[in-house]
Amino acid sequence: MKKLIFLDRDGVINRNVDDGYVLSTAQIEWLPGAMEGSWRLNRPDNRICIVTNQAAVGKGILPEPDLLHIHRFFLETIREEKGRIDEIYYCPHTPEERCPCRKPRPGLLQQGIAQFGGCGRLWMVGDSLDDMRAGKEAGPLYDPGRIAEDAPGASQGAEGAKPRGLLCAEPAGSGENHREINLGGEP
């Protein structure tokens, strides 16, 4: 069955930066297991997309051409490691702008659904509850199932709470509503 797999970027593929923003390729530190995870997902019927909030652009900290350079570096490096990313969708807006593409809103994922429609399953892999909320809001193929019991903030539903490890949710009827997978995410 075809899968449309959305991966958050920072904290899933590369380590989060202490000051909050990856501003150059020199700051990218691949998380252990991220490259292996990317080639494991590389199957002919999978469509793999990165979805990432990049408020540094909206704040004027990171020029958009520099962000595009960083994303080209991601694509090239992952390809060299026998992985594949079909598309990168990013939101350049600040939280205050409340745009529909900034996670936890589903706009980035809806762009992927529009581009790669016809997939029978939708997965969202992320390191925050906002990532899971974006998946839930993206459409009927997605059911977040249960959040890991040990995820801090999961019971309170705190916006922006960071669960331990990575969360991957699959659609209703898949037989597995929740699975933790390691693409190199920080525990």
Side-chain angles (χ1 to χ4, degrees), residues 65-153:
D66 291 357
L67 176 64
L68 298 176
H69 173 75
I70 291 167
H71 285 168
R72 279 191 300 277
F73 178 79
F74 264 82
L75 295 173
E76 291 166 7
T77 304
I78 291 169
R79 188 173 22 256
E80 288 170 4
E81 295 294 325
K82 308 295 187 240
R84 185 186 86 239
I85 299 295
D86 295 297
E87 191 66 69
I88 298 178
Y89 302 104
Y90 64 93
C91 173
H93 305 106
T94 64
E96 296 75 28
E97 293 178 77
R98 305 186 54 79
C99 77
C101 66
R102 184 175 174 79
K103 295 180 290 173
R105 292 176 192 85
L108 294 176
L109 285 76
Q110 289 170 339
Q111 290 177 44
I113 292 167
Q115 182 173 350
F116 298 108
C119 292
R121 294 172 127 180
L122 184 145
W123 287 14
M124 177 67 218
V125 180
D127 64 336
S128 75
L129 294 177
D130 282 353
D131 293 330
M132 297 300 102
R133 287 184 183 110
K136 180 180 179 183
E137 296 296 319
L141 295 176
Y142 180 91
D143 179 358
R146 63 181 178 81
I147 302 296
E149 287 82 15
D150 62 352

Side-chain angles (χ1 to χ4, degrees), residues 9 12 20-21 25 29 33-34 52 57 71 74 87 105 120-121 124 187:
R9 194 188 83 176
V12 173
Y21 301 111
T25 58
E29 182 182 344
T52 179
V57 174
H71 285 168
F74 264 82
E87 191 66 69
R105 292 176 192 85
R121 294 172 127 180
M124 177 67 218

Side-chain angles (χ1 to χ4, degrees), residues 7 11-15 29-41 78 81 166 181-187:
L7 307 173
V12 173
I13 300 171
N14 60 289
R15 192 169 309 282
E29 182 182 344
W30 305 108
L31 288 168
M35 291 301 156
E36 178 185 351
S38 72
W39 65 255
R40 284 180 175 225
L41 294 174
I78 291 169
E81 295 294 325
L166 300 179
I181 65 174
N182 184 2
L183 286 175
E186 298 176 279

